[in-house]
Amino acid sequence: EDKVVQSPLSLVVHEGDTVTLNCSYEVTNFRSLLWYKQEKKAPTFLFMLTSSGIEKKSGRLSSILDKKELFSILNITATQTGDSAIYLCAVERGAGGTSYGKLTFGQGTILTVHP
Amino acid sequence: KAGVTQTPRYLIKTRGQQVTLSCSPISGHRSVSWYQQTPGQGLQFLFEYFSETQRNKGNFPGRFSGRQFSNSRSEMNVSTLELGDSALYLCASSPNRVQRTGELFFGEGSRLTVL
């Protein structure tokens, strides 16, 4: 069964700090790893990393994928209070009946940024 | 473009009752997935529908069912509610590019409380 483990489970920092969130995974026929941000209800998409795209960056957020060691990290630099949220990591299997619509999620990291 | 719309947003039921939740995907998206989110288990995949057909199903009992209509709108039903069914139920849609899940677009969710 596919498995995603995130660490730490929660993190409290002050504005301006840099944080690193970790995600390790085990998945049959890996296709992609995705990061989502969940502030109130709806998770919103941040990055998708695949074999052909192992590093992504958007503003203060960046992510890398290590397919050999089966993990990914999400970095947030110069954190702001608006970064407070649950950060979810998920993996997608290769195409086929058991993959349609299904992402396997980790437990999430609760990030709290204090002013 | 309107996002994924879920109704109702909040509902309270008692054990033994049944509930129906509705989801309208983003216009043009034909794949709809449902997830259950609880503090203990995180986000867990329920099922996925495409062109009115269930293509994939998670490890939930038969009390959980769903369907999709010709306009891609989807409903899920939970019968004989149990206390453990209290959760946030998230619907997600995707354009279903090349038989893959990829990025999912989530709705705000329906918060179900079972008393």
Side-chain angles (χ1 to χ4, degrees), chain A residues 1-6 23-36 47-49 65 67 70-72 88-94 98-106, chain B residues 35 43 45 100-104:
Chain A
E1 188 165 329
D2 302 342
K3 187 176 179 183
V4 178
V5 177
Q6 293 186 244
C23 174
S24 63
Y25 64 91
E26 298 171 20
V27 62
T28 302
N29 191 19
F30 172 87
R31 175 157 253 187
S32 71
L33 184 144
L34 301 97
W35 285 96
Y36 284 84
F47 298 118
M48 181 164 66
L49 301 148
L65 172 68
K67 274 201 70 181
L70 306 183
F71 79 87
S72 174
L88 297 163
C89 174
V91 292
E92 176 192 11
R93 280 189 176 192
T98 59
S99 70
Y100 293 133
K102 179 179 179 181
L103 297 179
T104 300
F105 284 85
Chain B
Y35 287 78
L43 270 129
F45 173 74
R100 64 174 302 169
T101 296
E103 176 187 350
L104 295 180

Side-chain angles (χ1 to χ4, degrees), chain B residues 19-82:
Chain B
V19 66
T20 299
L21 310 177
S22 179
C23 172
S24 294
I26 292 171
S27 177
H29 285 192
R30 297 170 65 191
S31 170
V32 174
S33 304
W34 288 88
Y35 287 78
Q36 181 196 64
Q37 187 175 28
T38 59
Q41 299 295 321
L43 270 129
Q44 292 189 292
F45 173 74
L46 282 156
F47 28 65
E48 188 262 4
Y49 287 86
F50 179 81
S51 291
E52 302 177 65
T53 300
Q54 185 184 89
R55 295 193 300 182
N56 199 6
K57 189 176 189 303
N59 297 322
F60 279 82
R63 300 185 297 106
F64 292 82
S65 63
R67 60 178 175 168
Q68 187 181 35
F69 303 94
S70 58
N71 61 358
S72 294
R73 189 177 71 85
S74 178
E75 289 181 348
M76 68 163 282
N77 183 274
V78 188
S79 62
T80 319
L81 284 166
E82 300 176 0

Side-chain angles (χ1 to χ4, degrees), chain B residues 101-114:
Chain B
T101 296
E103 176 187 350
L104 295 180
F105 297 82
F106 284 89
E108 296 271 292
S110 293
R111 170 72 66 184
L112 171 65
T113 301
V114 182

Side-chain angles (χ1 to χ4, degrees), chain A residues 10-112:
Chain A
S10 66
L11 190 56
V12 180
V13 300
H14 287 92
E15 273 192 321
D17 289 348
T18 293
V19 298
T20 298
L21 310 183
N22 304 292
C23 174
S24 63
Y25 64 91
E26 298 171 20
V27 62
T28 302
N29 191 19
F30 172 87
R31 175 157 253 187
S32 71
L33 184 144
L34 301 97
W35 285 96
Y36 284 84
K37 177 182 181 182
Q38 186 175 25
E39 291 181 79
K40 291 181 180 177
K41 295 288 174 63
T44 55
F45 172 79
L46 293 174
F47 298 118
M48 181 164 66
L49 301 148
T50 66
S51 299
S52 58
I54 60 172
E55 186 170 353
K56 292 287 178 76
K57 183 175 171 63
S58 176
R60 296 178 296 103
L61 277 66
S62 63
S63 182
I64 62 170
L65 172 68
D66 187 325
K67 274 201 70 181
K68 182 179 177 183
E69 300 298 330
L70 306 183
F71 79 87
S72 174
I73 62 171
L74 175 68
N75 276 318
I76 308 175
T77 59
T79 52
Q80 303 170 357
T81 54
D83 295 327
S84 295
I86 301 173
Y87 290 85
L88 297 163
C89 174
V91 292
E92 176 192 11
R93 280 189 176 192
T98 59
S99 70
Y100 293 133
K102 179 179 179 181
L103 297 179
T104 300
F105 284 85
Q107 287 286 78
T109 293
I110 302 172
L111 174 64
T112 304

